Amino acid sequence: MARIGVTGLGTMGAALALNMADRGFDVAVHNRTEAVVDEFMEGTGSLSDRFTPVKSLEALVDALTPPRAVLIMVKAGDPVDAVIDALVPLLDKGDLIIDAGNADFNDTRRRTARVTDEGIGFLGMGVSGGEEGARHGPSIMVGGTEDLYRPVQDIIEAIAARYQDDPCAAWLGPDGAGHFVKTVHNGIEYADMQFIAEVFGILNASGRSYADQADLFAEWNGGPLQSYLIEITAEILRARDSETGAPVLDVIVDKAGQKGTGRWTVIEALKLGQSATAIEAAVAARSWSAEADARAKAEETYPTGTTRMSHVLDGDLEKALLAARMIGYGQGFALLSAASRHFDWSLDLARIAEIWRAGCIIRSSLLDDISSAARDGLPHDQLILAPGIAPRLADAVEGLRRVVLASMEEGVPVPGLAAALSYFDTYRRARGTTNMIQAQRDFFGRHGFERRDRDGTGFHGPWAESD
Ligand SMILES: NC(=O)c1ccc[n+]([C@@H]2O[C@H](COP(=O)([O-])OP(=O)(O)OC[C@H]3O[C@@H](n4cnc5c(N)ncnc54)[C@H](OP(=O)(O)O)[C@@H]3O)[C@@H](O)[C@H]2O)c1
């Protein structure tokens, strides 16, 4: 009998199942298209004895030791509901379903309630690290009740990445907490990727060769920017297309895909009254990228000419990326705090930063500092105010400012970097300019305002006196 079942042997499900077998667990494997199970088994090599291949969900359930645990790793959305609907009648009370795909946490909350009503446990589990991570150690963010997590904790921790022996897996809170944290992780990932893409654009506009840029990113990866995304950027800049021999970046269409997690982050931020503008800029840039024909027409209408940037220092670009990264993480953590309060999740922000230190796409040396800062408590829930972060941000942000200014002068697009800088500049003013907004609202709608010199609400401006 197998300890756990996996249904959905696509990229991620197959990799996770192999990872479990590698760690010594017996796994029953199933896939909607039966032939995929055979293909999977052909690739299991010396691990084949660990697997029980099955061709139906009934057989999957029969192959498991009760109380059963079935991990679903299918396409996000309706397919997850379809698999749950098919599984629930086959399971017994006390069995457990784990959805390890990228679910909208609102769906996870709904599915948790639906499955729990039938006496079956449900965990919503975010998995980050792509195929490689899933195969050899992802970062794993679990939501559900803690008592449901304990029986599978050994499997989940065993397959997770390790940061200095600490497994990058944790139970984070009830129902949708794991998938919410995974969503915000992806939002931060969107922002970080966008910042890097913008710096790539600036370096191109400065006439720097890909080889030169690759060296620069590789050098940055040895400093405070050390991270998976900076590391792969250097590799990508060096890579050549195997068919044409051209730099691979030159053969790729500038149209970025998205599956929803970045957009969900922004939507949830807005619902919670939060600002995730750097993440929003990254989502917007991907959306605009899809409008290739309109962009071609716009370039014809407003020609850019040849852009030649010459006055941006490498050190400023490094600082710009660091400052923007801190602000991107800051917006993500502020959102996590807001969600934790709103849903009463008691999220451990330090633990979240810790389990992102290895295995996941946004792993970076900065996360070690972020986890220490969060452990000490974030002033006003703001990472950018943490004593361990603030002096470094104050230094780096001036590089960000110079880079944004120089780019804007030349018309080189930097929507993500500029959003990060604007957020910083807006946030660090004790007295902003929304007094004007309040005056306008009162002028046209008698909404009332608060006064600086008196307690209370509902004061009106002189324009109301003539009524
Ligand atoms: N790829 C990544 O880097 C990554 C990283 C983190 C999280 N994720 C998430 O992991 C999940 C799986 O992604 P993936 O990349 O492994 O996908 P994938 O390679 O496209 O595989 C999709 C799987 O879903 C199954 N499926 C699709 N529709 C189904 C349905 N109606 N009923 C039953 N099974 C169905 C497919 O079965 P058939 O073979 O029968 O079509 C296949 O096994 C998604 O939620 C994704 O967002 C992916």
Side-chain angles (χ1 to χ4, degrees):
M1 299 285 271
R3 173 79 195 279
I4 187 165
V6 174
T7 180
L9 295 174
T11 310
M12 294 292 282
L16 274 185
L18 286 165
N19 186 351
M20 288 174 192
D22 238 353
R23 306 287 156 197
F25 298 101
D26 292 325
V27 189
V29 285
H30 169 262
N31 193 77
R32 175 183 63 171
T33 308
E34 293 181 10
V36 174
V37 180
D38 299 327
E39 281 163 33
F40 170 82
M41 286 308 294
E42 279 164 26
T44 55
S46 60
L47 293 171
S48 65
D49 289 351
R50 290 259 168 232
F51 292 104
T52 309
V54 295
K55 300 288 172 75
S56 69
L57 285 175
E58 287 82 353
L60 181 71
V61 168
D62 286 345
L64 300 174
T65 316
R68 306 171 185 87
V70 180
L71 184 144
I72 304 176
M73 199 41 143
V74 302
K75 197 165 174 281
D78 293 342
V80 178
D81 287 308
V83 174
I84 291 172
D85 286 343
L87 261 178
V88 165
L90 306 173
L91 294 172
D92 291 326
K93 287 192 181 353
D95 288 345
L96 174 67
I97 295 175
I98 305 170
D99 174 19
N102 270 341
D104 179 335
F105 91 108
N106 294 297
D107 287 336
T108 304
R109 289 168 73 87
R110 174 179 57 75
R111 288 169 185 147
T112 303
R114 179 239 188 277
V115 169
T116 308
D117 275 351
E118 312 267 353
I120 293 161
F122 193 82
L123 292 176
M125 186 170 106
V127 177
S128 175
E131 183 181 14
E132 181 66 14
R135 176 66 184 89
H136 299 289
S139 171
I140 304 179
M141 295 144 259
V142 184
T145 57
E146 198 172 2
D147 60 313
L148 290 173
Y149 177 57
R150 295 300 163 217
V152 287
Q153 183 176 356
D154 61 333
I155 305 178
I156 290 170
E157 289 191 351
I159 62 170
R162 286 195 149 45
Y163 181 85
Q164 297 173 357
D165 274 350
D166 183 21
C168 292
W171 169 79
L172 297 172
D175 55 73
H179 277 141
F180 188 91
V181 173
K182 171 66 177 18
T183 296
V184 175
H185 163 286
N186 284 25
I188 294 171
E189 175 185 312
Y190 268 59
D192 220 42
M193 291 168 74
Q194 177 65 24
F195 302 146
I196 292 172
E198 289 174 18
V199 167
F200 166 60
I202 295 168
L203 289 165
N204 287 340
S206 306
R208 305 278 288 265
S209 70
Y210 291 165
D212 192 12
Q213 294 188 43
D215 290 345
L216 195 55
F217 275 96
E219 188 190 316
W220 288 341
N221 200 40
L225 281 176
Q226 189 286 319
S227 58
Y228 174 70
L229 284 171
I230 295 285
E231 180 190 324
I232 65 166
T233 300
E235 261 188 62
I236 290 165
L237 282 158
R238 285 203 186 96
R240 297 211 158 251
D241 176 45
S242 46
E243 279 178 36
T244 59
V248 78
L249 284 163
D250 285 352
V251 303
I252 300 177
V253 175
D254 66 329
K255 189 165 129 185
Q258 53 180 315
K259 287 189 178 164
T261 44
R263 189 168 50 230
W264 295 342
T265 308
V266 177
I267 291 169
E268 295 309 326
L270 291 175
K271 282 191 196 163
L272 290 164
Q274 287 294 307
S275 135
T277 48
I279 298 169
E280 203 274 334
V283 175
R286 290 199 195 187
S287 304
W288 296 332
S289 78
E291 295 165 19
D293 293 345
R295 287 191 291 126
K297 180 71 187 162
E299 183 165 337
E300 212 180 286
T301 312
Y302 308 106
T304 54
T306 310
T307 316
R308 205 67 175 148
M309 288 187 65
S310 53
H311 52 297
V312 182
L313 302 174
D314 290 354
D316 277 349
L317 287 170
E318 184 181 22
K319 284 183 174 180
L321 278 175
L322 187 60
R325 174 175 285 174
M326 287 175 175
I327 291 165
Y329 277 121
Q331 292 189 344
F333 274 80
L335 175 53
L336 290 176
S337 296
S340 183
R341 272 195 310 276
H342 183 81
F343 297 108
D344 207 11
W345 281 340
S346 302
L347 291 179
D348 181 345
L349 299 184
R351 187 68 193 130
I352 291 169
E354 282 167 8
I355 64 169
W356 287 350
R357 288 178 303 183
C360 68
I361 303 297
I362 62 170
R363 60 187 183 263
S364 76
S365 58
L366 186 62
L367 277 162
D368 212 22
D369 304 323
I370 293 176
S371 60
S372 305
R375 197 58 77 207
D376 294 340
L378 300 179
H380 304 279
D381 292 333
Q382 290 295 335
L383 179 67
I384 63 169
L385 297 179
I389 299 290
R392 294 174 63 192
L393 178 56
D395 172 59
V397 85
E398 292 317 314
L400 174 62
R401 188 178 306 287
R402 287 188 287 273
V403 167
V404 169
L405 273 171
S407 306
M408 287 192 162
E409 256 177 8
E410 299 294 335
V412 173
V414 284
L417 295 173
L421 181 62
S422 290
Y423 170 78
F424 176 85
D425 282 337
T426 307
Y427 216 86
R428 65 151 169 178
R429 291 203 178 263
R431 181 155 168 77
T433 56
T434 43
N435 47 343
M436 174 58 89
I437 309 282
Q438 287 301 80
Q440 290 167 335
R441 293 179 68 234
D442 187 56
F443 193 105
F444 62 69
R446 287 184 64 84
H447 290 288
F449 49 74
E450 292 173 58
R451 294 183 63 100
R452 301 175 75 198
D453 56 355
R454 257 175 265 169
D455 288 339
T457 55
F459 295 102
H460 296 287
W463 42 83
E465 284 163 17
S466 57
D467 288 358

